[in-house]
Amino acid sequence: MYSIKEAFYSLQGEGAHAGRPAIFCRFTGCNLWTGKEKHRASAKCQFCDTDFIGTDGQNGGKFKTAEALIEHLDTLWPEQTSHKYLIFTGGEPALQLDEALISAAKAAHYTLAIETNGTLPLPDGIDWICVSPKTAAPLVVNQGSELKLVFPQDHLPPNLFSDLEFEHFYLQPMDQSALPEGCERINDAQAQTIRYCLQNPQWRLSLQTHKMLGID
Ligand SMILES: C[S@@+](CC[C@H](N)C(=O)[O-])C[C@H]1O[C@@H](n2cnc3c(N)ncnc32)[C@H](O)[C@@H]1O
Ligand SMILES: Nc1nc2[nH]cc(C(=O)O)c2c(=O)[nH]1
Ligand code: SF4
Ligand SMILES: [Mg+2]
């Protein structure tokens, strides 16, 4: 059984594939936060911008088999049958993504991407692995396509990751606009990120372009 919070067709907003049309499959649940505001301050990941509780979002639901989920997701893809791209996100997709789902998606001709916090092992067969490390959570996925660090995070300077085997290194300014009142805030995350990239050119800036555009 797969639990899906929501699924939608949009443009990848972040990282090296920003601008690319994709289906997003957002799994329910995460191993670093319950998703409840009352637990945010004590969570391992405290700045999350996403609602991943339940299955009540657009095109969300519970799916008994991998084939049933892929058939559902495939209805979101437009007429053109080339360049099919599916991004597994969440919540933490590694809690539910398995080889059966990867096989079913490949059989439907998708190129597969994942957005993961990197704390859980991944099944084989994912074409694009984006790891986004979080404070206090040790990484088990130490290689992949892009390492996209939300910046700044306490005790997580980018140089902790700069020797890992990733093709691309991105810093993404921490968006604090949706955090509830009373949460501690960092000043100038965007300016700090720009400054860090300018001083450490291994790292590039990733902006959440979907938020600027007002799309999903
Ligand atoms: C909601 S997470 C889901 C996937 C996975 N759990 C993870 O953390 O990578 C998707 C992406 O959004 C990023 N993200 C979450 N909250 C953010 C925030 N407040 N500002 C900027 N990026 C954020 C994450 O680091 C991750 O790259
Ligand atoms: N457009 C768009 N791009 C994204 N890239 C990563 C996202 C995510 O929440 O994982 C995301 C998202 O939610 N929307
Ligand atoms: S690990 Fe990802 S989904 Fe989980 S709380 Fe952090 S940003 Fe949100
Ligand atoms: Mg998002």
Side-chain angles (χ1 to χ4, degrees):
M1 178 81 84
Y2 303 96
S3 294
I4 305 302
K5 170 67 185 186
E6 61 176 353
F8 53 87
Y9 181 56
S10 187
L11 303 179
Q12 166 61 292
E14 307 173 2
H17 282 296
R20 180 168 183 177
I23 290 172
F24 289 81
C25 173
R26 190 179 306 287
F27 287 101
T28 301
C30 181
N31 60 330
L32 301 185
W33 179 37
T34 61
K36 295 190 174 141
E37 286 303 334
K38 65 180 178 193
H39 298 142
R40 189 188 280 274
S42 59
K44 287 186 176 152
C45 181
Q46 301 186 352
F47 55 79
C48 187
D49 62 0
T50 300
D51 177 1
F52 53 76
I53 299 180
T55 55
D56 58 349
Q58 56 174 330
N59 307 303
K62 291 190 172 173
F63 298 86
K64 284 193 179 141
T65 64
E67 289 71 23
L69 174 53
I70 295 301
E71 197 180 315
H72 172 69
L73 295 173
D74 207 26
T75 64
L76 303 174
W77 192 260
E79 290 289 284
Q80 193 186 335
T81 54
S82 62
H83 302 89
K84 291 174 81 175
Y85 196 53
L86 171 56
I87 301 174
F88 295 112
T89 183
E92 179 44 54
L95 290 168
Q96 298 189 61
L97 181 59
D98 58 9
E99 280 176 12
L101 194 50
I102 289 172
S103 304
K106 294 263 178 196
H109 308 291
Y110 283 96
T111 297
L112 302 180
I114 189 170
E115 302 269 336
T116 178
N117 60 35
T119 61
L120 298 166
L122 301 178
D124 289 339
I126 304 165
D127 302 295
W128 185 269
I129 296 174
C130 172
V131 173
S132 187
K134 304 293 173 328
T135 299
L139 277 193
V140 306
V141 186
N142 285 305
Q143 50 182 22
S145 315
E146 62 186 349
L147 188 131
K148 186 175 70 194
L149 181 66
V150 175
F151 188 81
Q153 291 183 63
D154 284 343
H155 315 298
L156 227 55
N159 61 20
L160 283 182
F161 308 105
S162 50
D163 291 331
L164 297 181
E165 279 177 51
F166 287 84
E167 292 161 44
H168 307 271
F169 293 84
Y170 282 96
L171 294 186
Q172 183 159 285
M174 188 183 292
D175 174 20
Q176 301 164 97
S177 60
L179 291 180
E181 261 180 69
C183 288
E184 243 181 85
R185 279 186 167 65
I186 295 151
N187 280 328
D188 268 359
Q190 192 167 299
Q192 287 190 52
T193 310
I194 292 168
R195 206 176 313 130
Y196 192 94
C197 292
L198 288 171
Q199 288 169 357
N200 301 273
Q202 175 184 0
W203 294 86
R204 297 184 183 190
L205 176 67
S206 169
L207 294 176
Q208 295 185 290
T209 57
H210 51 297
K211 294 183 180 177
M212 302 161 159
L213 295 168
I215 60 175
D216 286 339

